[in-house]
Amino acid sequence: MSTESPGPPPPRPAVFLDRDDTLVADVPYLTDPAGLRVLPGAARALVDLRRAGFALVLTTNQSAVGRGLLTEDGLRAIHDEFERLLAAEGASLDAIYYCTHAPRADDRTVVEHPDRKPAPGMLLRAAADLGLDLPRSWMVGDRISDVLAGLGAGCRSILVGSNATLDELPKPAEGGRAFAVADLAAAAALILADSETP
Ligand SMILES: [Mg+2]
């Protein structure tokens, strides 16, 4: 029998997930939990990713709070309802990170706050908190700011949406670590195929 102490668990890979237009239908500045609609196939994708060993971390810009349209308690009520809807489909998240900063500019490639995507702050904090392996992790979202946050954290990134294109990437060379697919289900298929490749 080994007498060595087990030590900390090895870091595990994660899939960082944007919320609006990635997991739920986008309602601009959603303030009422009753307005939440989980997108078709999203919960199933989460179930499949978890089964493959990925931690699931929501990373969401919520400037509605910074703009005074929603309180943090109101945001937590929305996320409680979101987790309830996911649980009803057998899915769950490991953690939720949000940034309440209200940006001054419209450019989604400009960093205004270390936590607000396109900055990688939420992902880096989650990695430290949860023991995540960033080079084996992915960021999935519908905006170029999501792609940039993932790349900035050392992950690979997947842009989702029926018209998803990486043309907006400020450094096209980073395209080798970024992909564009139709939706979260397609993103999960890409991630799972990659994780099964020796
Ligand atoms: Mg979004």
Side-chain angles (χ1 to χ4, degrees), residues 174-188:
E174 290 192 315
R177 293 194 297 136
F179 306 84
V181 301
D183 57 17
L184 180 58

Side-chain angles (χ1 to χ4, degrees), residues 18-22 26 117 141-143 146:
D18 171 52
R19 193 189 80 183
D20 300 325
D21 260 348
T22 300
D26 191 15
K117 298 174 286 185
D142 69 298
R143 288 186 169 161
D146 297 310

Side-chain angles (χ1 to χ4, degrees), residues 19-20 27-33 61-79 98 100:
R19 193 189 80 183
D20 300 325
V27 176
Y29 308 123
L30 175 72
T31 56
D32 181 357
N61 286 348
Q62 289 301 323
S63 66
V65 177
R67 294 177 207 275
L69 303 171
L70 177 65
T71 63
E72 282 198 67
D73 279 349
L75 181 60
R76 277 190 280 272
I78 288 170
H79 287 161
Y98 58 83
T100 62

Side-chain angles (χ1 to χ4, degrees), residues 105-127:
D106 262 352
D107 189 337
R108 298 188 206 287
T109 68
V110 172
V111 169
E112 288 200 20
H113 182 284
D115 268 355
R116 181 174 168 83
K117 298 174 286 185
M122 290 190 281
L123 290 73
L124 299 177
R125 211 143 43 81

Side-chain angles (χ1 to χ4, degrees), residues 34-72:
L36 277 169
R37 296 286 178 273
V38 178
L39 290 172
R44 177 57 199 267
L46 297 186
V47 169
D48 291 345
L49 289 167
R50 177 180 297 294
R51 191 173 292 144
F54 288 91
L56 302 173
V57 180
L58 189 74
T59 54
T60 178
N61 286 348
Q62 289 301 323
S63 66
V65 177
R67 294 177 207 275
L69 303 171
L70 177 65
T71 63
E72 282 198 67

